[in-house]
Amino acid sequence: AYNPLAQRAFWGPSPSSARAMQVEELNTPAVQDLEALDNEYLEVEKEYNDELSRLNQRFEAQFGVLLSKRNGVLTRQAQPGPLDHLCATRALPGFWRMVLLNSDEFQEDIERHDEPVLDYLTDIVWELLDESCRDKGFRIRFVFATNPYFSNELLTKEYHYEKKNPYVSDPEVCTKIVASPIDWHTGKNVTVELIAKKPKSGRRRVTKPKREEVPRPSFFRRCFRNLGPGEEIPEEELDEEEDHEDPDLMQYLLEDDHEQGVALRDYLIPHAVRWFTGEAIEDDEEASESEEGAEGSEEDDDEEDEEDDEDEDEATAAAGRKAAQRQGPAAGHRGVKGPKKKKSGKGR
């Protein structure tokens, strides 16, 4: 007979009863001793993080000196020329434009009309939002020379982090991105284009068509926008065919933008010259070979699965024939037959 008590003793308490047991046992001496040990662990962990932060600060100061020297090399005048006033990095004109164009993270975001603006980019640097705590996020600084497009000499992007669980070593989780607004000069905003608006028909007098600004794709539109809770989804990211807004879209945009920021911080800024020369670019042939290798392994797996299916079909058919033979002629008279063998997928 079914005995629920015996079953509970064998399988253990149900999840709901287990939670009730945990609540009752929270104040036991064992739990108190374990929590005391965990508090000591947290203190040692904090000491470790503080020491690691000091080590990072010491080496980041050395990195900063080297990157300042790099900027000095880029901005020094190699040979005087008539177009020097159009170049932010005179030693290598368009240095940062090429760095971004050669990176997988930014090359698809940069349009033709963005490139002349990026030629005025003098430097890209990063810094922590809080020097005493790396877990709060970081800031990217885009330094521009005086240019005819906007009045800003500095554009920034802040990546804000939030640690919700102190007991979990989460990877960097970005919860908000704050970008500085761009003060475009009149008629120089590359994120919009002027389109002539057709005059209304039926008018006797011929009037000049009105021109209106229409948004267009741009690195500056996509890069310098605020993302996170309380922010609206950018118009360029909305799908006109969708009747409703994807509730996860903002999170996708945050994660994608954060990946770009991390790439700048960890790879592009420290080793910019390698992207300028193309040394850091992944070879297309190597990438295609790796993709072909992955596809080949998938095809091999499919072939193995087909062979396994054929072996199972043959075994099933053989078992059916043996069963029919054991039942004798009478079974055959009743129309009992072994299962039909499936046709092989090979040789078609």
Side-chain angles (χ1 to χ4, degrees):
Y2 172 73
N3 187 343
L5 295 177
Q7 185 186 37
R8 178 177 176 183
F10 180 79
W11 293 107
S14 64
S16 59
S17 61
R19 284 192 293 269
M21 291 171 60
Q22 290 175 0
V23 172
E24 294 174 358
E25 296 172 0
L26 283 180
N27 295 323
T28 62
V31 170
Q32 294 173 1
D33 290 343
L34 291 174
E35 288 182 341
L37 289 172
D38 190 63
N39 289 334
E40 291 183 26
Y41 187 99
L42 290 173
E43 290 178 3
V44 175
E45 189 175 44
K46 183 181 182 301
E47 185 180 349
Y48 162 77
N49 288 328
D50 292 342
E51 186 68 25
L52 187 61
S53 178
R54 286 190 290 269
L55 184 66
N56 283 325
Q57 289 178 8
R58 180 160 64 89
F59 280 95
E60 282 166 4
Q62 297 181 35
F63 295 149
V65 172
L66 294 173
L67 296 181
S68 295
K69 290 181 179 179
R70 179 183 68 185
N71 184 249
V73 172
L74 286 171
T75 55
R76 72 187 180 195
Q77 192 170 9
Q79 293 181 352
L83 300 179
D84 283 346
H85 64 289
L86 299 178
C87 302
T89 52
R90 295 180 178 181
L92 292 172
F95 176 82
W96 287 106
R97 168 174 56 83
M98 288 304 302
V99 170
L100 296 175
L101 279 172
N102 284 339
S103 67
D104 291 336
E105 290 79 11
F106 292 95
Q107 59 183 218
E108 293 183 1
D109 294 338
I110 299 174
E111 306 290 338
R112 289 282 186 182
H113 45 265
D114 294 321
E115 295 185 23
V117 189
L118 291 174
D119 283 341
Y120 288 94
L121 189 52
T122 303
D123 201 2
I124 307 177
V125 296
W126 77 274
E127 61 191 9
L128 293 173
L129 292 179
D130 185 346
E131 291 292 337
S132 63
C133 182
R134 302 181 67 87
D135 294 337
K136 292 185 179 181
F138 64 97
R139 180 186 297 107
I140 302 289
R141 297 161 54 92
F142 297 82
V143 184
F144 284 86
T146 302
N147 64 82
Y149 295 97
F150 47 73
S151 59
N152 309 70
E153 294 183 358
L154 179 68
L155 296 178
T156 63
K157 286 189 72 173
E158 294 182 355
Y159 296 86
H160 292 259
Y161 293 167
E162 182 178 345
K163 192 175 181 64
K164 297 181 178 179
N165 190 342
Y167 307 109
V168 178
S169 298
D170 290 329
E172 296 171 332
V173 178
C174 182
T175 57
K176 182 174 65 172
I177 297 175
V178 179
S180 57
I182 303 177
D183 299 322
W184 295 99
H185 292 311
T186 304
K188 294 294 186 177
N189 188 348
V190 298
T191 68
V192 298
E193 58 183 337
L194 291 175
I195 295 181
K197 193 175 182 181
K198 293 182 180 180
K200 294 181 180 180
S201 58
R203 291 185 177 179
R204 294 180 181 178
R205 260 177 37 183
V206 178
T207 58
K208 291 183 179 180
K210 292 183 178 180
R211 298 169 69 85
E212 63 177 352
E213 291 185 347
V214 178
R216 65 176 175 178
S218 170
F219 166 80
F220 292 92
R221 176 177 293 279
R222 191 186 186 285
C223 187
F224 297 99
R225 60 189 184 184
N226 297 336
L227 298 173
E231 300 292 343
E232 295 183 0
I233 299 293
E235 292 183 4
E236 63 270 17
E237 302 293 348
L238 296 175
D239 191 345
E240 296 180 357
E241 298 179 358
E242 292 285 343
D243 295 333
H244 58 279
E245 185 180 300
D246 184 354
D248 297 325
L249 181 55
M250 180 61 77
Q251 186 61 34
Y252 296 150
L253 296 176
L254 267 172
E255 292 174 358
D256 188 42
D257 200 313
H258 179 241
E259 287 180 4
Q260 289 184 323
V262 170
L264 273 171
R265 182 193 67 185
D266 294 348
Y267 310 116
L268 299 179
I269 291 176
H271 312 293
V273 66
R274 308 298 180 178
W275 266 268
F276 176 80
T277 61
E279 180 183 347
I281 302 174
E282 184 178 2
D283 190 358
D284 291 339
E285 293 183 359
E286 293 180 0
S288 60
E289 287 177 1
S290 61
E291 290 177 0
E292 290 174 0
E295 291 175 358
S297 62
E298 290 178 1
E299 292 177 358
D300 293 341
D301 292 341
D302 292 340
E303 290 180 1
E304 291 178 1
D305 292 340
E306 289 179 3
E307 292 176 358
D308 292 340
D309 292 340
E310 291 174 6
D311 293 340
E312 291 178 2
D313 293 341
E314 291 177 0
T316 305
R321 287 194 296 271
K322 289 182 180 179
Q325 290 174 1
R326 285 196 298 270
Q327 293 183 11
H333 179 70
R334 292 194 299 268
V336 178
K337 298 180 181 179
K340 292 182 180 179
K341 182 179 178 182
K342 295 181 181 178
K343 293 182 180 179
S344 170
K346 291 184 178 181
R348 290 183 179 176

mmCIF file of all heavy atoms in Angstrom, residues 180-204:
data_model
loop_
_atom_site.group_PDB
_atom_site.id
_atom_site.type_symbol
_atom_site.label_atom_id
_atom_site.label_comp_id
_atom_site.label_asym_id
_atom_site.label_seq_id
_atom_site.Cartn_x
_atom_site.Cartn_y
_atom_site.Cartn_z
ATOM 1 N N SER A 180 27.334 62.316 -23.277
ATOM 2 C CA SER A 180 27.200 63.770 -23.327
ATOM 3 C C SER A 180 26.525 64.192 -24.625
ATOM 4 O O SER A 180 26.749 63.589 -25.677
ATOM 5 C CB SER A 180 28.583 64.425 -23.212
ATOM 6 O OG SER A 180 29.439 63.956 -24.247
ATOM 7 N N PRO A 181 25.672 65.222 -24.583
ATOM 8 C CA PRO A 181 25.028 65.702 -25.809
ATOM 9 C C PRO A 181 26.031 66.402 -26.714
ATOM 10 O O PRO A 181 27.046 66.937 -26.245
ATOM 11 C CB PRO A 181 23.969 66.675 -25.284
ATOM 12 C CG PRO A 181 24.489 67.125 -23.962
ATOM 13 C CD PRO A 181 25.255 65.967 -23.400
ATOM 14 N N ILE A 182 25.756 66.394 -28.008
ATOM 15 C CA ILE A 182 26.646 67.033 -28.984
ATOM 16 C C ILE A 182 26.032 68.364 -29.414
ATOM 17 O O ILE A 182 24.875 68.417 -29.827
ATOM 18 C CB ILE A 182 26.866 66.123 -30.206
ATOM 19 C CG1 ILE A 182 27.424 64.770 -29.754
ATOM 20 C CG2 ILE A 182 27.813 66.775 -31.204
ATOM 21 C CD1 ILE A 182 27.604 63.773 -30.889
ATOM 22 N N ASP A 183 26.825 69.430 -29.314
ATOM 23 C CA ASP A 183 26.367 70.765 -29.704
ATOM 24 C C ASP A 183 26.779 71.025 -31.156
ATOM 25 O O ASP A 183 27.859 71.590 -31.431
ATOM 26 C CB ASP A 183 26.965 71.821 -28.764
ATOM 27 C CG ASP A 183 26.543 71.614 -27.319
ATOM 28 O OD1 ASP A 183 25.380 71.236 -27.094
ATOM 29 O OD2 ASP A 183 27.391 71.807 -26.418
ATOM 30 N N TRP A 184 25.924 70.611 -32.083
ATOM 31 C CA TRP A 184 26.229 70.725 -33.509
ATOM 32 C C TRP A 184 26.121 72.180 -33.975
ATOM 33 O O TRP A 184 25.233 72.916 -33.555
ATOM 34 C CB TRP A 184 25.269 69.865 -34.330
ATOM 35 C CG TRP A 184 25.389 68.390 -34.079
ATOM 36 C CD1 TRP A 184 24.595 67.630 -33.272
ATOM 37 C CD2 TRP A 184 26.347 67.499 -34.644
ATOM 38 N NE1 TRP A 184 25.010 66.321 -33.285
ATOM 39 C CE2 TRP A 184 26.081 66.203 -34.123
ATOM 40 C CE3 TRP A 184 27.418 67.653 -35.534
ATOM 41 C CZ2 TRP A 184 26.829 65.086 -34.476
ATOM 42 C CZ3 TRP A 184 28.164 66.536 -35.880
ATOM 43 C CH2 TRP A 184 27.880 65.275 -35.351
ATOM 44 N N HIS A 185 27.047 72.548 -34.850
ATOM 45 C CA HIS A 185 26.920 73.850 -35.502
ATOM 46 C C HIS A 185 25.790 73.787 -36.525
ATOM 47 O O HIS A 185 25.464 72.716 -37.064
ATOM 48 C CB HIS A 185 28.233 74.237 -36.191
ATOM 49 C CG HIS A 185 29.355 74.513 -35.238
ATOM 50 N ND1 HIS A 185 29.222 75.349 -34.156
ATOM 51 C CD2 HIS A 185 30.643 74.057 -35.215
ATOM 52 C CE1 HIS A 185 30.382 75.418 -33.503
ATOM 53 N NE2 HIS A 185 31.257 74.628 -34.121
ATOM 54 N N THR A 186 25.204 74.921 -36.804
ATOM 55 C CA THR A 186 24.076 74.985 -37.733
ATOM 56 C C THR A 186 24.459 74.430 -39.107
ATOM 57 O O THR A 186 25.469 74.828 -39.698
ATOM 58 C CB THR A 186 23.593 76.440 -37.895
ATOM 59 O OG1 THR A 186 23.262 76.972 -36.605
ATOM 60 C CG2 THR A 186 22.375 76.511 -38.802
ATOM 61 N N GLY A 187 23.656 73.472 -39.557
ATOM 62 C CA GLY A 187 23.882 72.875 -40.869
ATOM 63 C C GLY A 187 25.004 71.860 -40.923
ATOM 64 O O GLY A 187 25.350 71.373 -42.017
ATOM 65 N N LYS A 188 25.598 71.511 -39.785
ATOM 66 C CA LYS A 188 26.745 70.591 -39.759
ATOM 67 C C LYS A 188 26.441 69.268 -39.067
ATOM 68 O O LYS A 188 27.344 68.448 -38.878
ATOM 69 C CB LYS A 188 27.936 71.264 -39.068
ATOM 70 C CG LYS A 188 28.507 72.451 -39.822
ATOM 71 C CD LYS A 188 29.123 72.018 -41.144
ATOM 72 C CE LYS A 188 29.816 73.173 -41.839
ATOM 73 N NZ LYS A 188 30.470 72.737 -43.084
ATOM 74 N N ASN A 189 25.205 69.045 -38.676
ATOM 75 C CA ASN A 189 24.828 67.830 -37.965
ATOM 76 C C ASN A 189 24.811 66.646 -38.937
ATOM 77 O O ASN A 189 23.929 66.547 -39.798
ATOM 78 C CB ASN A 189 23.455 68.001 -37.322
ATOM 79 C CG ASN A 189 23.088 66.854 -36.408
ATOM 80 O OD1 ASN A 189 23.731 65.804 -36.397
ATOM 81 N ND2 ASN A 189 22.043 67.040 -35.624
ATOM 82 N N VAL A 190 25.777 65.739 -38.806
ATOM 83 C CA VAL A 190 25.884 64.622 -39.744
ATOM 84 C C VAL A 190 24.907 63.489 -39.423
ATOM 85 O O VAL A 190 24.806 62.524 -40.184
ATOM 86 C CB VAL A 190 27.324 64.063 -39.778
ATOM 87 C CG1 VAL A 190 28.307 65.124 -40.251
ATOM 88 C CG2 VAL A 190 27.733 63.495 -38.419
ATOM 89 N N THR A 191 24.187 63.603 -38.301
ATOM 90 C CA THR A 191 23.227 62.547 -37.948
ATOM 91 C C THR A 191 21.869 62.762 -38.611
ATOM 92 O O THR A 191 20.961 61.945 -38.434
ATOM 93 C CB THR A 191 23.027 62.473 -36.423
ATOM 94 O OG1 THR A 191 22.353 63.646 -35.975
ATOM 95 C CG2 THR A 191 24.362 62.338 -35.714
ATOM 96 N N VAL A 192 21.725 63.868 -39.342
ATOM 97 C CA VAL A 192 20.482 64.141 -40.063
ATOM 98 C C VAL A 192 20.825 64.572 -41.478
ATOM 99 O O VAL A 192 21.960 64.984 -41.773
ATOM 100 C CB VAL A 192 19.637 65.238 -39.373
ATOM 101 C CG1 VAL A 192 19.212 64.799 -37.991
ATOM 102 C CG2 VAL A 192 20.406 66.553 -39.315
ATOM 103 N N GLU A 193 19.850 64.480 -42.372
ATOM 104 C CA GLU A 193 20.005 64.991 -43.724
ATOM 105 C C GLU A 193 18.801 65.851 -44.075
ATOM 106 O O GLU A 193 17.687 65.615 -43.585
ATOM 107 C CB GLU A 193 20.155 63.850 -44.732
ATOM 108 C CG GLU A 193 19.024 62.862 -44.761
ATOM 109 C CD GLU A 193 19.292 61.733 -45.736
ATOM 110 O OE1 GLU A 193 20.099 61.952 -46.666
ATOM 111 O OE2 GLU A 193 18.707 60.645 -45.567
ATOM 112 N N LEU A 194 19.036 66.857 -44.897
ATOM 113 C CA LEU A 194 17.975 67.767 -45.303
ATOM 114 C C LEU A 194 17.302 67.237 -46.552
ATOM 115 O O LEU A 194 17.962 66.960 -47.559
ATOM 116 C CB LEU A 194 18.553 69.160 -45.561
ATOM 117 C CG LEU A 194 19.063 69.918 -44.323
ATOM 118 C CD1 LEU A 194 19.728 71.221 -44.732
ATOM 119 C CD2 LEU A 194 17.928 70.186 -43.354
ATOM 120 N N ILE A 195 15.995 67.055 -46.481
ATOM 121 C CA ILE A 195 15.219 66.549 -47.608
ATOM 122 C C ILE A 195 14.179 67.587 -47.995
ATOM 123 O O ILE A 195 13.499 68.164 -47.127
ATOM 124 C CB ILE A 195 14.536 65.221 -47.244
ATOM 125 C CG1 ILE A 195 15.599 64.140 -46.983
ATOM 126 C CG2 ILE A 195 13.591 64.756 -48.343
ATOM 127 C CD1 ILE A 195 15.022 62.793 -46.643
ATOM 128 N N ALA A 196 14.077 67.829 -49.296
ATOM 129 C CA ALA A 196 13.103 68.803 -49.783
ATOM 130 C C ALA A 196 11.703 68.234 -49.648
ATOM 131 O O ALA A 196 11.426 67.109 -50.085
ATOM 132 C CB ALA A 196 13.405 69.154 -51.236
ATOM 133 N N LYS A 197 10.840 69.009 -49.029
ATOM 134 C CA LYS A 197 9.457 68.601 -48.845
ATOM 135 C C LYS A 197 8.617 69.155 -49.996
ATOM 136 O O LYS A 197 8.642 70.351 -50.279
ATOM 137 C CB LYS A 197 8.943 69.135 -47.499
ATOM 138 C CG LYS A 197 7.627 68.535 -47.050
ATOM 139 C CD LYS A 197 7.279 69.038 -45.655
ATOM 140 C CE LYS A 197 5.986 68.407 -45.161
ATOM 141 N NZ LYS A 197 5.628 68.903 -43.807
ATOM 142 N N LYS A 198 7.870 68.272 -50.670
ATOM 143 C CA LYS A 198 7.083 68.688 -51.822
ATOM 144 C C LYS A 198 5.975 69.646 -51.389
ATOM 145 O O LYS A 198 5.274 69.394 -50.408
ATOM 146 C CB LYS A 198 6.469 67.470 -52.508
ATOM 147 C CG LYS A 198 7.495 66.565 -53.165
ATOM 148 C CD LYS A 198 6.811 65.408 -53.864
ATOM 149 C CE LYS A 198 7.829 64.497 -54.534
ATOM 150 N NZ LYS A 198 7.158 63.361 -55.211
ATOM 151 N N PRO A 199 5.780 70.758 -52.153
ATOM 152 C CA PRO A 199 4.692 71.685 -51.810
ATOM 153 C C PRO A 199 3.337 71.055 -52.120
ATOM 154 O O PRO A 199 3.229 70.172 -52.966
ATOM 155 C CB PRO A 199 4.968 72.893 -52.713
ATOM 156 C CG PRO A 199 5.748 72.335 -53.862
ATOM 157 C CD PRO A 199 6.564 71.204 -53.302
ATOM 158 N N LYS A 200 2.331 71.516 -51.421
ATOM 159 C CA LYS A 200 0.989 70.984 -51.646
ATOM 160 C C LYS A 200 0.495 71.344 -53.038
ATOM 161 O O LYS A 200 0.736 72.449 -53.535
ATOM 162 C CB LYS A 200 0.026 71.537 -50.592
ATOM 163 C CG LYS A 200 0.333 71.071 -49.176
ATOM 164 C CD LYS A 200 -0.677 71.632 -48.194
ATOM 165 C CE LYS A 200 -0.374 71.157 -46.771
ATOM 166 N NZ LYS A 200 -1.350 71.703 -45.796
ATOM 167 N N SER A 201 -0.189 70.401 -53.691
ATOM 168 C CA SER A 201 -0.690 70.630 -55.046
ATOM 169 C C SER A 201 -1.912 71.538 -55.004
ATOM 170 O O SER A 201 -2.607 71.648 -53.994
ATOM 171 C CB SER A 201 -1.073 69.296 -55.693
ATOM 172 O OG SER A 201 -2.050 68.641 -54.910
ATOM 173 N N GLY A 202 -2.184 72.218 -56.138
ATOM 174 C CA GLY A 202 -3.346 73.090 -56.232
ATOM 175 C C GLY A 202 -3.026 74.549 -56.019
ATOM 176 O O GLY A 202 -3.883 75.409 -56.212
ATOM 177 N N ARG A 203 -1.792 74.857 -55.630
ATOM 178 C CA ARG A 203 -1.429 76.250 -55.438
ATOM 179 C C ARG A 203 -1.064 76.885 -56.776
ATOM 180 O O ARG A 203 -0.403 76.282 -57.612
ATOM 181 C CB ARG A 203 -0.242 76.368 -54.470
ATOM 182 C CG ARG A 203 -0.598 75.987 -53.039
ATOM 183 C CD ARG A 203 0.573 76.242 -52.123
ATOM 184 N NE ARG A 203 0.242 75.963 -50.740
ATOM 185 C CZ ARG A 203 1.109 76.100 -49.733
ATOM 186 N NH1 ARG A 203 2.331 76.516 -49.978
ATOM 187 N NH2 ARG A 203 0.740 75.824 -48.501
ATOM 188 N N ARG A 204 -1.503 78.122 -56.953
ATOM 189 C CA ARG A 204 -1.225 78.822 -58.206
ATOM 190 C C ARG A 204 0.206 79.335 -58.241
ATOM 191 O O ARG A 204 0.879 79.278 -59.264
ATOM 192 C CB ARG A 204 -2.196 79.988 -58.376
ATOM 193 C CG ARG A 204 -3.648 79.534 -58.558
ATOM 194 C CD ARG A 204 -4.555 80.733 -58.730
ATOM 195 N NE ARG A 204 -5.958 80.308 -58.882
ATOM 196 C CZ ARG A 204 -6.980 81.141 -59.019
ATOM 197 N NH1 ARG A 204 -6.755 82.464 -58.993
ATOM 198 N NH2 ARG A 204 -8.215 80.683 -59.141
#
